[in-house]
Protein backbone atom coordinates (compact mmCIF):
# COMPACT_ATOMS: atom_id res chain seq x y z
CA UNK A 1 0.00 0.00 0.00
CA UNK A 2 1.36 3.42 -1.00
CA UNK A 3 0.65 6.11 1.59
CA UNK A 4 0.15 9.69 0.37
CA UNK A 5 -0.08 12.76 2.60
CA UNK A 6 -2.41 15.31 0.99
CA UNK A 7 -2.05 19.00 1.90
CA UNK A 8 -4.51 21.18 -0.07
CA UNK A 9 -3.27 24.40 1.61
CA UNK A 10 -4.77 27.78 0.69
CA UNK A 11 -6.86 29.47 -2.00
CA UNK A 12 -7.31 27.50 -5.20
CA UNK A 13 -5.10 24.76 -3.71
CA UNK A 14 -8.20 23.51 -1.90
CA UNK A 15 -10.30 23.58 -5.08
CA UNK A 16 -7.87 21.91 -7.47
CA UNK A 17 -6.99 19.24 -4.90
CA UNK A 18 -10.61 18.04 -4.87
CA UNK A 19 -10.25 17.31 -8.58
CA UNK A 20 -6.91 15.53 -8.21
CA UNK A 21 -8.43 13.26 -5.57
CA UNK A 22 -11.40 12.63 -7.87
CA UNK A 23 -8.97 11.54 -10.58
CA UNK A 24 -7.14 9.30 -8.11
CA UNK A 25 -10.42 7.60 -7.19
CA UNK A 26 -11.17 7.04 -10.88
CA UNK A 27 -7.74 5.51 -11.42
CA UNK A 28 -8.24 3.21 -8.44
CA UNK A 29 -11.67 2.17 -9.72
CA UNK A 30 -10.18 1.37 -13.11
CA UNK A 31 -7.25 -0.57 -11.69
CA UNK A 32 -7.63 -2.43 -8.39
CA UNK A 33 -3.86 -3.05 -8.28
CA UNK A 34 -3.41 0.66 -7.62
CA UNK A 35 -3.28 0.43 -3.84
CA UNK A 36 -3.08 3.99 -2.58
CA UNK A 37 -4.19 5.38 0.73
CA UNK A 38 -4.55 9.15 1.28
CA UNK A 39 -4.57 11.21 4.48
CA UNK A 40 -5.61 14.85 4.27
CA UNK A 41 -3.83 17.40 6.47
CA UNK A 42 -5.39 20.84 7.07
CA UNK A 43 -2.06 22.71 7.37
CA UNK A 44 -2.55 26.11 5.79
CA UNK A 45 -2.98 29.79 6.54
CA UNK A 46 -6.36 29.02 8.17
CA UNK A 47 -4.48 26.63 10.44
CA UNK A 48 -1.98 29.43 11.18
CA UNK A 49 -4.80 31.82 12.14
CA UNK A 50 -6.07 29.24 14.64
CA UNK A 51 -2.81 27.83 16.00
CA UNK A 52 -0.15 30.47 15.32
CA UNK A 53 1.93 28.03 13.24
CA UNK A 54 1.56 26.82 9.66
CA UNK A 55 1.80 23.22 10.77
CA UNK A 56 2.28 21.37 14.07
CA UNK A 57 5.76 21.03 15.58
CA UNK A 58 5.93 17.33 14.75
CA UNK A 59 4.62 17.79 11.18
CA UNK A 60 7.83 16.60 9.56
CA UNK A 61 7.91 13.50 11.78
CA UNK A 62 4.35 12.77 10.71
CA UNK A 63 5.07 13.34 7.01
CA UNK A 64 8.20 11.18 7.19
CA UNK A 65 5.91 8.13 7.43
CA UNK A 66 4.40 8.75 4.01
CA UNK A 67 5.69 7.62 0.62
CA UNK A 68 4.93 10.98 -0.98
CA UNK A 69 3.21 14.31 -0.40
CA UNK A 70 0.63 15.83 -2.73
CA UNK A 71 0.53 19.56 -2.05
CA UNK A 72 -1.81 22.27 -3.40
CA UNK A 73 -0.68 25.84 -2.78
CA UNK A 74 0.05 28.19 0.04
CA UNK A 75 -0.37 31.97 0.28
CA UNK A 76 -2.91 34.19 2.02
CA UNK A 77 -3.11 37.94 2.56
CA UNK A 78 -3.58 37.41 6.34
CA UNK A 79 -0.17 35.75 6.73
CA UNK A 80 3.15 37.30 5.64
CA UNK A 81 4.66 35.51 2.64
CA UNK A 82 7.92 34.85 4.45
CA UNK A 83 5.96 32.94 7.12
CA UNK A 84 4.08 30.77 4.63
CA UNK A 85 7.25 30.04 2.70
CA UNK A 86 9.81 29.67 5.50
CA UNK A 87 7.58 27.89 8.00
CA UNK A 88 6.02 25.54 5.55
CA UNK A 89 7.47 24.94 2.10
CA UNK A 90 11.15 25.49 2.88
CA UNK A 91 11.34 23.16 5.91
CA UNK A 92 9.73 20.37 3.89
CA UNK A 93 12.02 20.88 0.89
CA UNK A 94 15.16 21.24 2.98
CA UNK A 95 14.59 18.66 5.73
CA UNK A 96 13.46 16.02 3.27
CA UNK A 97 16.40 16.83 0.99
CA UNK A 98 14.12 17.41 -1.97
CA UNK A 99 17.03 18.89 -3.83
CA UNK A 100 15.58 18.41 -7.30
CA UNK A 101 12.75 20.59 -8.44
CA UNK A 102 11.60 18.93 -11.64
CA UNK A 103 9.38 20.83 -14.06
CA UNK A 104 8.32 19.50 -17.46
CA UNK A 105 7.60 22.16 -20.10
CA UNK A 106 5.78 20.69 -23.04
CA UNK A 107 3.57 21.88 -25.86
CA UNK A 108 0.10 20.40 -25.55
CA UNK A 109 -2.24 19.94 -28.49
CA UNK A 110 -5.24 22.22 -28.15
CA UNK A 111 -3.29 24.83 -26.19
CA UNK A 112 -1.90 27.75 -28.11
CA UNK A 113 1.50 29.01 -27.04
CA UNK A 114 1.68 32.81 -26.88
CA UNK A 115 4.79 32.42 -29.05
CA UNK A 116 4.42 32.13 -32.81
CA UNK A 117 7.36 29.71 -32.80
CA UNK A 118 6.22 27.80 -29.72
CA UNK A 119 4.85 24.66 -31.30
CA UNK A 120 7.42 21.99 -30.51
CA UNK A 121 8.51 22.78 -27.00
CA UNK A 122 9.54 19.74 -24.97
CA UNK A 123 12.05 20.37 -22.22
CA UNK A 124 12.46 19.68 -18.55
CA UNK A 125 13.91 22.05 -16.01
CA UNK A 126 15.99 20.80 -13.09
CA UNK A 127 16.02 23.54 -10.49
CA UNK A 128 18.25 23.20 -7.42
CA UNK A 129 15.77 23.27 -4.58
CA UNK A 130 17.50 23.41 -1.21
CA UNK A 131 20.30 25.99 -1.27
CA UNK A 132 21.72 28.69 -3.56
CA UNK A 133 20.06 32.07 -3.48
CA UNK A 134 17.22 30.81 -1.26
CA UNK A 135 19.20 30.56 1.94
CA UNK A 136 18.24 32.17 5.21
CA UNK A 137 21.80 33.25 5.83
CA UNK A 138 22.04 36.99 6.20
CA UNK A 139 20.48 39.74 8.21
CA UNK A 140 18.85 43.13 8.31
CA UNK A 141 20.24 45.63 10.78
CA UNK A 142 20.07 49.32 11.80
CA UNK A 143 16.34 49.50 11.00
CA UNK A 144 15.17 53.03 10.12
CA UNK A 145 18.65 54.51 10.47
CA UNK A 146 20.76 55.99 7.66
CA UNK A 147 23.18 53.06 7.84
CA UNK A 148 20.37 50.49 7.58
CA UNK A 149 21.53 47.43 5.65
CA UNK A 150 20.50 43.96 4.54
CA UNK A 151 22.67 41.04 3.51
CA UNK A 152 21.37 37.91 1.82
CA UNK A 153 23.97 35.24 1.22
CA UNK A 154 23.94 32.73 -1.59
CA UNK A 155 25.14 29.35 -0.46
CA UNK A 156 26.40 26.89 -3.01
CA UNK A 157 27.96 23.67 -1.88
CA UNK A 158 29.90 21.30 -4.05
CA UNK A 159 27.60 18.45 -3.05
CA UNK A 160 24.52 20.57 -3.80
CA UNK A 161 25.69 21.54 -7.29
CA UNK A 162 26.93 18.05 -8.10
CA UNK A 163 23.70 16.38 -7.03
CA UNK A 164 21.35 18.56 -9.09
CA UNK A 165 23.56 18.33 -12.19
CA UNK A 166 23.90 14.58 -11.73
CA UNK A 167 20.09 14.27 -11.52
CA UNK A 168 19.77 16.23 -14.78
CA UNK A 169 22.37 14.01 -16.46
CA UNK A 170 20.70 10.81 -15.21
CA UNK A 171 17.42 12.01 -16.68
CA UNK A 172 19.09 12.95 -19.99
CA UNK A 173 20.76 9.54 -20.28
CA UNK A 174 17.57 7.68 -19.32
CA UNK A 175 15.45 9.48 -21.91
CA UNK A 176 18.03 9.68 -24.71
CA UNK A 177 18.60 13.45 -24.54
CA UNK A 178 21.88 14.75 -25.85
CA UNK A 179 22.26 18.23 -24.41
CA UNK A 180 22.33 19.82 -20.99
CA UNK A 181 21.83 23.59 -20.80
CA UNK A 182 23.18 25.23 -17.67
CA UNK A 183 21.93 28.67 -16.57
CA UNK A 184 24.77 30.79 -15.26
CA UNK A 185 25.91 34.34 -14.63
CA UNK A 186 29.56 33.73 -13.87
CA UNK A 187 30.65 36.90 -15.66
CA UNK A 188 29.09 38.99 -12.89
CA UNK A 189 28.57 36.64 -9.95
CA UNK A 190 32.16 35.59 -9.93
CA UNK A 191 32.36 33.38 -6.85
CA UNK A 192 29.24 31.24 -6.57
CA UNK A 193 28.42 31.08 -10.28
CA UNK A 194 31.99 30.26 -11.31
CA UNK A 195 31.85 27.49 -8.75
CA UNK A 196 28.53 26.34 -10.28
CA UNK A 197 30.07 26.31 -13.79
CA UNK A 198 33.16 24.39 -12.73
CA UNK A 199 31.31 21.59 -10.97
CA UNK A 200 28.59 21.42 -13.61
CA UNK A 201 31.21 20.87 -16.30
CA UNK A 202 32.93 18.20 -14.27
CA UNK A 203 29.71 16.25 -13.61
CA UNK A 204 28.42 16.42 -17.20
CA UNK A 205 31.80 15.27 -18.59
CA UNK A 206 31.85 12.38 -16.14
CA UNK A 207 28.22 11.39 -16.76
CA UNK A 208 28.46 10.48 -20.44
CA UNK A 209 30.73 11.16 -23.42
CA UNK A 210 27.64 11.67 -25.58
CA UNK A 211 26.21 14.49 -23.49
CA UNK A 212 27.08 18.04 -24.50
CA UNK A 213 26.95 20.97 -22.14
CA UNK A 214 26.09 24.54 -23.03
CA UNK A 215 26.40 27.20 -20.34
CA UNK A 216 24.34 30.28 -21.09
CA UNK A 217 24.10 33.51 -19.15
CA UNK A 218 20.66 33.78 -17.59
CA UNK A 219 19.83 37.08 -19.27
CA UNK A 220 20.51 35.58 -22.69
CA UNK A 221 18.78 32.33 -21.76
CA UNK A 222 15.45 34.00 -20.97
CA UNK A 223 15.58 35.64 -24.39
CA UNK A 224 16.34 32.28 -26.05
CA UNK A 225 13.40 30.69 -24.21
CA UNK A 226 11.23 33.15 -26.12
CA UNK A 227 13.12 33.16 -29.43
CA UNK A 228 13.92 29.46 -29.85
CA UNK A 229 12.40 27.38 -27.02
CA UNK A 230 12.41 24.23 -29.12
CA UNK A 231 16.23 24.09 -28.87
CA UNK A 232 16.24 23.10 -25.18
CA UNK A 233 16.00 19.59 -23.82
CA UNK A 234 17.27 19.47 -20.24
CA UNK A 235 17.93 22.73 -18.43
CA UNK A 236 19.72 22.81 -15.08
CA UNK A 237 19.70 25.91 -12.91
CA UNK A 238 20.27 27.24 -9.43
CA UNK A 239 17.33 27.82 -7.13
CA UNK A 240 16.51 31.40 -8.16
CA UNK A 241 17.33 31.06 -11.85
CA UNK A 242 15.38 27.80 -11.98
CA UNK A 243 12.38 29.43 -10.33
CA UNK A 244 12.28 32.20 -12.90
CA UNK A 245 12.95 29.93 -15.88
CA UNK A 246 10.23 27.50 -14.92
CA UNK A 247 7.55 30.17 -14.61
CA UNK A 248 8.63 31.46 -18.01
CA UNK A 249 8.60 27.88 -19.31
CA UNK A 250 5.09 27.46 -18.02
CA UNK A 251 3.96 30.71 -19.67
CA UNK A 252 5.29 29.74 -23.10
CA UNK A 253 3.32 26.49 -23.17
CA UNK A 254 0.01 27.93 -22.06
CA UNK A 255 0.15 29.11 -18.49
CA UNK A 256 0.38 28.27 -14.84
CA UNK A 257 -2.84 26.31 -14.72
CA UNK A 258 -1.21 23.55 -16.77
CA UNK A 259 2.22 23.23 -15.16
CA UNK A 260 3.10 20.52 -12.65
CA UNK A 261 6.22 20.17 -10.56
CA UNK A 262 7.96 17.65 -8.36
CA UNK A 263 10.25 18.33 -5.38
CA UNK A 264 12.28 15.16 -5.45
CA UNK A 265 14.51 13.33 -3.07
CA UNK A 266 15.84 10.97 -5.75
CA UNK A 267 17.33 8.55 -3.23
CA UNK A 268 13.81 8.06 -1.76
CA UNK A 269 15.27 8.37 1.70
CA UNK A 270 12.55 10.96 2.44
CA UNK A 271 9.12 11.56 0.89
CA UNK A 272 9.08 13.71 -2.24
CA UNK A 273 6.47 16.42 -2.71
CA UNK A 274 4.38 17.10 -5.82
CA UNK A 275 2.68 20.44 -6.43
CA UNK A 276 1.45 22.69 -9.22
CA UNK A 277 3.81 25.49 -10.23
CA UNK A 278 1.09 28.04 -9.50
CA UNK A 279 0.30 29.53 -6.12
CA UNK A 280 -2.95 30.08 -4.25
CA UNK A 281 -4.23 32.61 -6.85
CA UNK A 282 -6.27 34.72 -4.40
CA UNK A 283 -7.77 36.67 -7.32
CA UNK A 284 -9.79 33.64 -8.45
CA UNK A 285 -9.97 31.60 -5.23
CA UNK A 286 -13.46 30.56 -4.16
CA UNK A 287 -14.94 31.10 -7.63
CA UNK A 288 -14.63 27.49 -8.78
CA UNK A 289 -12.92 28.49 -12.02
CA UNK A 290 -9.28 27.49 -11.41
CA UNK A 291 -7.75 25.04 -13.84
CA UNK A 292 -7.04 21.78 -11.96
CA UNK A 293 -4.74 20.32 -14.65
CA UNK A 294 -1.46 21.37 -12.98
CA UNK A 295 -2.57 19.67 -9.78
CA UNK A 296 -3.81 16.55 -11.56
CA UNK A 297 -0.59 16.31 -13.59
CA UNK A 298 1.37 16.69 -10.32
CA UNK A 299 -0.55 13.67 -9.05
CA UNK A 300 0.58 11.91 -12.24
CA UNK A 301 4.23 12.72 -11.50
CA UNK A 302 3.72 11.39 -7.97
CA UNK A 303 2.35 8.11 -9.28
CA UNK A 304 5.38 7.74 -11.55
CA UNK A 305 7.67 8.39 -8.61
CA UNK A 306 6.06 5.69 -6.45
CA UNK A 307 6.55 3.11 -9.18
CA UNK A 308 3.33 3.44 -11.15
CA UNK A 309 4.58 4.89 -14.44
CA UNK A 310 1.59 3.21 -16.09
CA UNK A 311 -0.84 5.30 -14.03
CA UNK A 312 1.18 8.46 -14.71
CA UNK A 313 0.93 7.73 -18.42
CA UNK A 314 -2.84 7.31 -18.18
CA UNK A 315 -3.20 10.63 -16.34
CA UNK A 316 -1.13 12.50 -18.93
CA UNK A 317 -2.99 10.84 -21.81
CA UNK A 318 -6.34 11.80 -20.26
CA UNK A 319 -5.22 15.43 -19.86
CA UNK A 320 -3.95 15.47 -23.44
CA UNK A 321 -7.18 13.95 -24.75
CA UNK A 322 -9.35 16.57 -23.02
CA UNK A 323 -7.20 19.45 -24.23
CA UNK A 324 -7.00 18.11 -27.76
CA UNK A 325 -10.77 17.70 -27.96
CA UNK A 326 -11.16 21.24 -26.65
CA UNK A 327 -14.81 20.94 -25.56
CA UNK A 328 -13.98 21.54 -21.89
CA UNK A 329 -11.66 24.45 -21.14
CA UNK A 330 -11.30 26.60 -18.06
CA UNK A 331 -11.10 30.40 -18.35
CA UNK A 332 -7.28 30.57 -18.24
CA UNK A 333 -7.08 28.58 -21.47
CA UNK A 334 -9.92 30.34 -23.22
CA UNK A 335 -13.05 28.49 -22.08
CA UNK A 336 -15.83 28.70 -19.55
CA UNK A 337 -15.70 25.36 -17.78
CA UNK A 338 -15.55 25.18 -14.00
CA UNK A 339 -12.81 23.48 -12.00
CA UNK A 340 -15.12 20.59 -11.31
CA UNK A 341 -16.20 20.20 -14.96
CA UNK A 342 -12.55 19.94 -15.97
CA UNK A 343 -11.95 17.29 -13.27
CA UNK A 344 -14.99 15.35 -14.50
CA UNK A 345 -13.82 15.57 -18.12
CA UNK A 346 -10.43 14.11 -17.18
CA UNK A 347 -12.12 11.29 -15.25
CA UNK A 348 -14.29 10.57 -18.29
CA UNK A 349 -11.21 10.56 -20.52
CA UNK A 350 -9.66 7.97 -18.19
CA UNK A 351 -12.75 5.80 -18.60
CA UNK A 352 -12.55 6.20 -22.38
CA UNK A 353 -8.87 5.26 -22.38
CA UNK A 354 -9.61 2.12 -20.36
CA UNK A 355 -12.47 1.16 -22.70
CA UNK A 356 -10.32 1.72 -25.79
CA UNK A 357 -7.62 -0.43 -24.25
CA UNK A 358 -10.26 -3.14 -23.82
CA UNK A 359 -9.94 -3.19 -20.08
CA UNK A 360 -13.65 -2.94 -19.18
P1 LIG B 1 0.62 33.28 -4.55
O1 LIG B 1 0.80 34.51 -3.71
O2 LIG B 1 0.00 32.16 -3.77
O3 LIG B 1 1.84 32.88 -5.31
P2 LIG B 1 -0.28 34.63 -6.94
O4 LIG B 1 -1.66 35.02 -7.42
O5 LIG B 1 0.72 35.69 -6.70
O6 LIG B 1 -0.48 33.69 -5.65
P3 LIG B 1 -0.27 32.49 -8.70
O7 LIG B 1 -1.21 31.77 -7.83
O8 LIG B 1 0.84 31.68 -9.23
O9 LIG B 1 0.38 33.68 -7.99
O10 LIG B 1 -1.11 33.13 -9.89
C1 LIG B 1 -0.61 34.01 -10.86
C2 LIG B 1 -1.70 34.29 -11.89
O11 LIG B 1 -2.06 33.09 -12.60
C3 LIG B 1 -3.01 34.78 -11.26
O12 LIG B 1 -3.61 35.72 -12.11
C4 LIG B 1 -3.87 33.55 -11.19
O13 LIG B 1 -5.23 33.81 -11.19
C5 LIG B 1 -3.42 32.74 -12.41
N1 LIG B 1 -3.50 31.30 -12.11
C6 LIG B 1 -2.65 30.61 -11.35
N2 LIG B 1 -3.00 29.33 -11.27
C7 LIG B 1 -4.13 29.20 -11.98
C8 LIG B 1 -5.00 28.09 -12.26
N3 LIG B 1 -4.77 26.88 -11.79
N4 LIG B 1 -6.06 28.33 -13.03
C9 LIG B 1 -6.30 29.55 -13.55
N5 LIG B 1 -5.53 30.62 -13.33
C10 LIG B 1 -4.45 30.45 -12.55
Amino acid sequence: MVKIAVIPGDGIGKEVMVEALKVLEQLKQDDPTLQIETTIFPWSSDYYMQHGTMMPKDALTILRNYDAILFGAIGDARVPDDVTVWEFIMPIRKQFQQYVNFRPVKTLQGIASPLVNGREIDMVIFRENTEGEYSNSGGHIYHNQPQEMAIQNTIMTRLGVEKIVQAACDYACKYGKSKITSATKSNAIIHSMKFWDEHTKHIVEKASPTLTLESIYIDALVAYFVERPQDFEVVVASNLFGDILSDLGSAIVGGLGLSPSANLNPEKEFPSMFEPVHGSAPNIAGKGIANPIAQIWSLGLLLGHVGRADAEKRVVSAIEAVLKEGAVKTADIGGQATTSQMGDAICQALVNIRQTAGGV
Side-chain angles (χ1 to χ4, degrees), residues 12 16 73-76 81 256-257 277-284 289-292 294 332:
I12 62 166
V16 292
I74 211 90
D76 186 303
D81 280 348
L256 287 170
V277 170
H278 65 73
S280 61
N283 59 332
I284 55 165
I289 56 167
N291 189 342
D332 58 312

Side-chain angles (χ1 to χ4, degrees), residues 315-355:
V315 170
V316 176
S317 301
I319 292 171
E320 285 175 341
V322 171
L323 293 177
K324 189 175 171 190
E325 192 186 309
V328 179
K329 282 184 168 181
T330 43
D332 58 312
I333 50 174
Q336 293 184 326
T338 62
T339 308
S340 146
Q341 285 167 339
M342 180 57 99
D344 290 344
I346 293 170
C347 288
Q348 185 56 49
L350 283 170
V351 172
N352 298 344
I353 288 168
R354 176 173 51 105
Q355 285 173 347

Side-chain angles (χ1 to χ4, degrees), residues 39-243:
T39 311
I40 299 179
F41 293 96
W43 305 334
S44 60
S45 297
D46 281 341
Y47 185 95
Y48 180 89
M49 297 309 287
Q50 283 171 21
H51 301 90
T53 53
M54 292 299 295
M55 52 187 182
K57 275 203 176 71
D58 60 347
L60 294 182
T61 314
I62 296 169
L63 292 176
R64 182 84 167 83
N65 297 317
Y66 287 82
D67 296 295
I69 303 163
L70 186 64
F71 171 53
I74 211 90
D76 186 303
R78 295 169 300 169
V79 185
D81 280 348
D82 57 340
V83 171
T84 49
V85 172
W86 280 98
E87 291 187 14
F88 189 87
I89 300 168
M90 290 299 179
I92 296 177
R93 287 183 181 168
K94 287 176 191 272
Q95 290 298 318
F96 289 162
Q97 295 179 35
Q98 295 168 348
Y99 62 86
V100 174
N101 189 272
F102 174 82
R103 298 185 173 185
V105 177
K106 193 175 182 305
T107 310
L108 294 159
Q109 277 190 53
I111 298 294
S113 165
L115 306 177
V116 283
N117 56 347
R119 285 205 197 93
E120 301 297 334
I121 304 170
D122 188 3
M123 65 170 118
V124 292
I125 299 174
F126 281 79
R127 163 189 171 192
E128 201 294 317
N129 210 27
T130 52
E131 55 175 47
E133 305 88 344
Y134 291 12
S135 94
N136 57 358
S137 159
H140 182 174
I141 53 173
Y142 305 131
H143 289 264
N144 302 320
Q145 296 178 46
Q147 66 272 43
E148 183 172 4
M149 61 178 280
I151 294 178
Q152 179 83 47
N153 294 310
T154 290
I155 296 179
M156 285 203 187
T157 64
R158 179 170 177 168
L159 206 60
V161 178
E162 287 185 348
K163 284 201 303 187
I164 186 67
V165 179
Q166 187 64 54
C169 291
D170 290 347
Y171 178 92
C173 293
K174 184 170 172 191
Y175 293 99
K177 310 283 181 190
S178 57
K179 187 175 69 170
I180 303 278
T181 303
S182 163
T184 184
K185 192 64 194 174
S186 47
N187 55 344
I189 306 174
I190 55 172
H191 303 298
S192 55
M193 275 297 157
K194 262 193 173 161
F195 181 83
W196 167 275
D197 287 357
E198 217 174 278
H199 294 292
T200 297
K201 185 167 178 284
H202 173 68
I203 292 295
V204 176
E205 280 172 0
K206 219 173 64 176
S208 165
T210 59
L211 270 181
T212 56
L213 169 69
E214 60 178 10
S215 285
I216 302 183
Y217 295 138
I218 185 68
D219 43 340
L221 189 53
V222 289
Y224 297 155
F225 261 41
V226 173
E227 288 166 7
R228 49 179 179 90
Q230 61 286 348
D231 283 1
F232 301 103
E233 299 175 41
V234 179
V235 179
V236 65
S238 65
N239 211 333
L240 174 63
F241 290 175
D243 193 10

